[in-house]
Amino acid sequence: MQWETVIGLEIHVQLATQSKIFSGASTAYGAEPNTQACAVDLGLPGVLPVLNKEAVKMAAMFGFAVDATVAERSVFARKNYFYPDSPKGYQISQFELPIVEHGKLEIVLNNGECKTIGITRAHLEEDAGKSLHEEFPDSTGIDLNRCGTPLIEIVSEPDMRSAEEAVAYMKKIHSIVRYLGISDGNMQEGSFRCDANVSMRPKGQKEFGTRTETKNLNSFRFVERAINHEIERQIDVLEDGGEVVQETRLYDANKDETRSMRSKEEANDYRYFPDPDLLPVVINSEELEAIKKELPELPAAKNARFKQSYELNDYDAENLVMDKDTADYFENIVNVGNVKAKLAANWVLGELTAALNQHDIEIMNSPVSAKMMSELLIRIEDNTLSNKIAKEVFHAMWAGEGSVDEIIEAKGLKQITDSSEIEALVDQVIADNPEQVEQYKSGKDKVFGFFVGQVMKLSKGKANPQQVNELLKAKLQ
Ligand code: ADP
Ligand code: MG
């Protein structure tokens, strides 16, 4: 039996407002536990929530960025359930009338194929506090600082068919919220997290199978692993003649497995009703137009512009625009540093990205700034450095050994472009290897590479490779 996977994601994004969604308490991360939740966040008697206008604006910006309908009128509702980290006994969310509906997003897969994923809705809600299990062996600690932090929950259509598609979609949403500046997207701190709904159906069948929902995945890698794990588990169940149980599951990164948390039967009935403390959110069409006008250039538009004005290919453009800081870094090298676009793209996506990944550093904190990178690439363009030696200089700059020119000077790395100097090296290599000269002259073309290698070695990698090639060709005729 051939199985098809069906996936829908619910992504929670913390909005980057200064204060909470219904109170003036700070949203800053990392404060002492229970120092940043005020009476409103705790739901103490006699207080009333006041909506944060900035959070509404941010949600609307997201809506426009994904081609959705932004409602002129939306309504906050109470989602009732008890949990220790939510002292009010309910969460303020949106239910029947969310602020954003009917959006869509295009993803690009590894094979270059594009696919559109539907976004059912995105609603505003408040976050809950945190239960801390690890620090306290016999009990659970409660930190209520996060109570009332504004979130948008973005619900996708069940349009994805593999873990790869789900990760591509999640990365795209991450990229968009960062471009919009509506979230820091920090996954370690929980500002961007995802619940993955997964079901299987026989290939060709129209109806969906029963799904499970794996909660709170806070890295792209965990999403991929949790989904693939769930696919295998469900196929095993189905092929053994069993039935998948609709339930909520948890992913354990240490054990790399998902396990059941609660089944549908135990699931809560949230008894949603409109929050009587809050008026409906009304945004008039002029306000909506104003928000739309303020939107920054988004990844799709930037991608098109990069391909047009810098003549980049799909791969380079897509990867450069994925992260706004990376795109800015690239443009800085090209426009301020006057480096050729293709060379800049190769270095940003190659050596720089590799070093950033290896050291787990964000591009904005790169020890090699855009200015330093352009100085380096200019030295490739003016033939002072070969591409290979430039990599050595790059790593020296990364290690803080100085500017490009200082490093070239100190290490004696200047490329040899004086043709008489190179000619001398070529002559020496030819004289030292009569046997290979014979072979080459008798038609063994492959030996040519040997000569190039020897000359480069003799010059300690500093001879200009193009000149070496030309001189060798001339001399070996
Ligand atoms: P709930 O409110 O119980 O979480 P929803 O109907 O709002 O349920 O769906 C939540 C998410 O689950 C959505 O992203 C949706 O696309 C996805 N989903 C719904 N049915 C399936 C299914 N059979 N398989 C996979 N995902 C599904
Ligand atoms: Mg859900």
Side-chain angles (χ1 to χ4, degrees), residues 361-372:
I361 294 178
E362 299 281 332
I363 195 163
M364 60 181 128
N365 302 320
S366 170
V368 176
S369 67
K371 182 158 180 291
M372 291 159 79

Side-chain angles (χ1 to χ4, degrees), residues 6-10 155-158 197-199 208-209 211 213 264:
V6 174
I7 302 165
L9 298 185
E10 296 162 271
V155 183
S156 85
E157 290 291 307
N197 296 272
V198 179
S199 67
F208 291 139
R211 74 184 146 115
E213 178 178 5
K264 188 75 182 172

Side-chain angles (χ1 to χ4, degrees), residues 106-120:
E106 191 163 277
I107 57 170
V108 184
L109 304 173
N110 289 332
N111 63 7
E113 220 174 274
C114 292
K115 179 169 178 177
T116 301
I117 307 297
I119 294 174
T120 318

Side-chain angles (χ1 to χ4, degrees), residues 277-333:
D277 289 344
L278 286 156
L279 293 167
V281 186
V282 175
I283 327 177
N284 65 37
S285 50
E286 288 93 73
E287 286 170 306
L288 287 176
E289 273 314 304
I291 293 171
K292 216 182 207 171
K293 277 215 184 81
E294 264 184 58
L295 288 184
E297 182 185 41
L298 290 164
K302 204 186 277 286
N303 183 314
R305 181 168 65 79
F306 273 25
K307 282 194 276 207
Q308 233 242 319
S309 30
Y310 303 123
E311 294 176 2
L312 295 177
N313 60 29
D314 283 337
Y315 175 90
D316 287 346
E318 178 68 16
N319 284 290
L320 284 171
V321 307
M322 187 64 97
D323 169 49
K324 181 168 180 294
D325 295 324
T326 306
D328 289 347
Y329 187 105
F330 163 80
E331 287 210 281
N332 211 317
I333 303 176

